[in-house]
């Protein structure tokens, strides 16, 4: 996906409203330029000026071409190029604009306060054109030169982000997207959704889970929709380390459920099967019930039906969870308490789950990161946000990525 895929690239690469304003300012500054021109040059140049003011572009083109043909000194070259720029702006001819801007930036007769303006816009347009030609490595110096010369075109960071991404410089690309977003907000504009969708996978690929969580918070705060959250979870799934195994997979489904991001039959059925395979039939039953109630799982769905029947049987055979909880209190290691806590979590009894997770941490034999991940899930469900943040924040190792994603969800606004 290209960062500017939904931007009007033609508009990005033209001077748009900036150029006429620039030209008008130049008109005022150069209303009485001290130019040394010959009579041979003056006649077509004057005729071109009249034609431009009358919007007679065909005549203007003929007269400017004639003036260019007889221009000999820097004064005449400056003025004929200035006229050429006005014409190409009117015609919206990008190639003509770029050529004129380049010549004006290098002409010794160009007013000093306009040299950087012309040069900056020329390099900005050149960089954009090189990106269109799929030459990102060549575009970068041109765009950086435009910035150095003081160009403040709002899409400059957008173009740089594209160029950096295409040359494998993700850190630089991410920084430019951030620049674009901050500049957009400072100007009172809402950053496009595609900017976030461009950068978040690149932040994720960097391995910085905290930064990824931060970007996700910003994205969902700006665009609080279930669809965007679902997309965010899918990004986390891609390339996720294998170390988290079933726990990670199940908790990503749980997160989708907690944020109303389960979208279709596949989500519900796969989630239920993952819960069953993890030895948590209570959760499998609850998920299929929800899927059927929402109409996402058809009543006659055979696969879901098999999972449901098997899970119901397993729940019945497990017996009372309270009895298992009593056994956990006397067990020497924490595994029994942790497993019972998992069962309570799967059944939706978050308060009891939390008690047993806390108990398990007081004993040996448990993975503290896995326990704290699930503690955070329980605390979040109970509305104890600060404690949930602390629990998720302590998770390291194989479960860190999933914990950071849960952490990002704690303060989300209601999702539409």
């Amino acid at each position: 996906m290209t960062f500017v895929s939904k931007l009007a690239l033609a508009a990005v690469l033209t001077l748009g409203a900036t150029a006429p304003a620039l030209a008008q300012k130049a008109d005022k500054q150069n209303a009485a330029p001290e130019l040394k021109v010959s009579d041979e040059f003056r006649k077509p140049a004057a005729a071109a000026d009249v034609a431009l003011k009358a919007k007679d572009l065909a005549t203007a083109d003929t007269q400017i071409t004639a003036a260019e043909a007889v221009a000999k000194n820097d004064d005449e070259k400056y003025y004929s190029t200035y006229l050429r720029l006005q014409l190409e702006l009117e015609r919206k001819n990008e190639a003509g604009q770029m050529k004129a801007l380049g010549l004006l930036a290098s002409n010794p007769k160009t007013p000093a306060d306009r040299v950087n303006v012309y040069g900056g816009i020329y390099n900005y347009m050149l960089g954009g054109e090189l990106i269109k030609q799929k030459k990102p490595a060549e575009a970068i110096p041109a765009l950086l030169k435009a910035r150095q010369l003081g160009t403040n075109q709002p899409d400059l960071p957008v173009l740089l982000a594209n160029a950096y991404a295409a040359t494998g410089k993700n850190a630089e690309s991410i920084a430019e997207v951030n620049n674009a977003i901050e500049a957009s907000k400072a100007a009172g504009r809402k950053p496009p959704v595609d900017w976030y969708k461009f950068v978040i996978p690149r932040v994720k690929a960097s391995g910085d889970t905290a930064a990824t969580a931060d970007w996700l918070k910003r994205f969902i705060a700006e665009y609080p929709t279930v669809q965007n959250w679902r997309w965010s979870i899918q990004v986390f799934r891609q390339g996720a380390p294998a170390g988290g195994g079933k726990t990670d997979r199940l908790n990503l489904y749980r997160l989708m459920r907690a944020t109303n991001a389960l979208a279709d039959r596949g989500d519900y059925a796969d989630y239920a099967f993952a819960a069953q395979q993890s030895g948590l039939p209570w959760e499998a039953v609850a998920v299929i019930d929800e899927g059927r109630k929402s109409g996402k799982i058809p009543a006659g769905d055979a696969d879901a039906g098999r999972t449901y029947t098997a899970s119901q049987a397993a729940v019945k055979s497990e017996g009372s969870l309270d009895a298992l909880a009593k056994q956990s209190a006397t067990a020497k290691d924490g595994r029994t308490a942790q497993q019972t806590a998992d069962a309570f979590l799967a059944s939706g009894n978050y308060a009891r789950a939390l008690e047993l997770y806390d108990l398990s941490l007081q004993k040996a034999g448990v993975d503290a990161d896995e326990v704290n991940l699930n503690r955070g899930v329980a605390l979040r469900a109970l509305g104890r946000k600060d404690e949930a943040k602390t629990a998720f924040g302590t998770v390291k190792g194989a479960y860190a990525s999933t914990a950071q994603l849960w952490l990002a969800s704690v303060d989300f606004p209601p999702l539409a």
Side-chain angles (χ1 to χ4, degrees):
M1 170 181 166
T2 303
F3 186 17
V4 289
S5 60
K6 292 190 178 180
L7 296 178
L9 189 56
V12 171
L13 300 178
T14 58
L15 297 175
T18 302
L22 179 155
Q24 291 166 15
K25 185 175 181 180
D27 281 341
K28 293 177 182 178
Q29 291 180 340
N30 301 315
E34 297 180 2
L35 300 175
K36 297 178 180 179
V37 299
S38 64
D39 291 338
E40 182 184 24
F41 175 85
R42 184 177 289 107
K43 183 177 180 180
D49 187 50
V50 171
L52 280 169
K53 291 175 180 175
K55 304 296 183 182
D56 182 355
L57 304 188
T59 299
D61 189 13
T62 299
Q63 296 300 326
I64 291 171
T65 300
E68 290 170 336
V70 298
K72 295 181 176 60
N73 61 35
D74 289 331
D75 292 311
E76 294 172 344
K77 291 176 182 177
Y78 163 73
Y79 194 63
S80 62
T81 304
Y82 176 76
L83 291 171
R84 173 63 68 183
L85 176 61
Q86 312 316 304
L87 174 62
E88 303 304 354
L89 288 170
E90 292 291 343
R91 297 201 296 198
K92 297 181 173 59
N93 178 8
E94 297 172 12
Q97 292 168 20
M98 287 177 60
K99 182 177 179 181
L101 286 164
L103 291 171
L104 286 170
S106 61
N107 190 303
K109 292 297 183 175
T110 297
D113 64 340
R114 309 308 296 164
V115 171
N116 284 357
V117 174
Y118 290 134
I121 298 177
Y122 166 75
N123 279 283
Y124 167 74
M125 293 180 69
L126 175 60
E129 181 61 28
L130 289 167
I131 288 176
K132 286 174 63 177
Q133 296 176 11
K134 302 188 184 302
K135 299 178 180 178
E138 296 176 39
I140 292 171
L143 294 168
L144 291 176
K145 182 67 173 179
R147 176 176 285 168
Q148 178 187 342
L149 292 173
T151 295
N152 59 356
Q153 295 292 325
D155 292 304
L156 178 57
V158 172
L159 296 177
L160 268 170
N162 261 322
Y164 280 131
T167 53
K169 298 179 178 179
N170 272 353
E172 291 86 347
S173 181
I174 292 166
E176 290 299 339
V177 178
N178 189 62
N179 289 339
I181 288 173
E182 293 305 317
S184 182
K185 287 184 175 182
R189 298 187 301 270
K190 188 172 183 176
V193 65
D194 280 354
W195 291 9
Y196 290 99
K197 288 195 170 184
F198 172 90
V199 73
I200 288 171
R202 287 166 172 78
V203 178
K204 172 67 164 57
S206 74
D208 190 336
T209 54
T212 304
D214 181 62
W215 272 100
L216 285 169
K217 288 177 186 177
R218 295 167 62 184
F219 175 42
I220 301 301
E222 198 77 53
Y223 291 94
T225 70
V226 171
Q227 291 80 3
N228 288 336
W229 181 234
R230 174 180 166 79
W231 173 85
S232 299
I233 295 174
Q234 289 173 331
V235 169
F236 254 70
R237 279 178 173 170
Q238 296 170 1
K246 290 182 179 179
T247 298
D248 262 347
R249 183 184 179 208
L250 189 58
N251 267 304
L252 287 173
Y253 279 122
R254 284 173 175 164
L255 184 53
M256 293 177 74
R257 183 185 181 193
T259 54
N260 299 316
L262 293 170
D264 51 32
R265 181 264 174 205
D267 283 347
Y268 281 96
D270 290 348
Y271 177 6
F273 185 72
Q276 181 200 31
Q277 292 297 299
S278 297
L280 300 171
W282 307 271
E283 196 162 357
V285 170
V287 168
I288 292 177
D289 280 338
E290 288 177 15
R292 287 173 173 173
K293 185 177 180 179
S294 68
K296 300 295 175 61
I297 296 181
D301 189 291
D303 287 339
R306 282 190 289 272
T307 300
Y308 192 76
T309 300
S311 297
Q312 282 185 315
V315 169
K316 186 176 180 179
S317 68
E318 287 287 348
S320 170
L321 293 181
D322 287 326
L324 293 175
K326 290 179 181 179
Q327 296 175 18
S328 301
T330 58
K332 291 183 179 180
D333 65 38
R335 284 297 298 166
T336 302
Q338 181 183 359
Q339 290 169 355
T340 307
D342 289 343
F344 274 115
L345 184 69
S347 68
N349 191 335
Y350 303 112
R352 289 290 279 144
L354 186 60
E355 290 176 15
L356 288 159
Y357 281 133
D358 289 343
L359 176 62
S360 73
L361 289 174
Q362 297 171 19
K363 302 184 179 186
V366 298
D367 182 336
D369 289 324
E370 183 178 8
V371 171
N372 276 310
L373 173 59
N374 288 332
R375 282 185 72 252
V377 173
L379 286 162
R380 183 187 183 282
L382 291 168
R384 294 159 62 173
K385 290 186 176 182
D386 289 341
E387 293 172 90
K389 291 178 186 178
T390 299
F392 291 135
T394 63
V395 179
K396 309 297 180 186
Y399 304 108
S401 180
T402 300
Q404 287 296 322
L405 191 55
W406 273 98
L407 178 61
S409 78
V410 173
D411 287 324
F412 279 171
L415 302 181

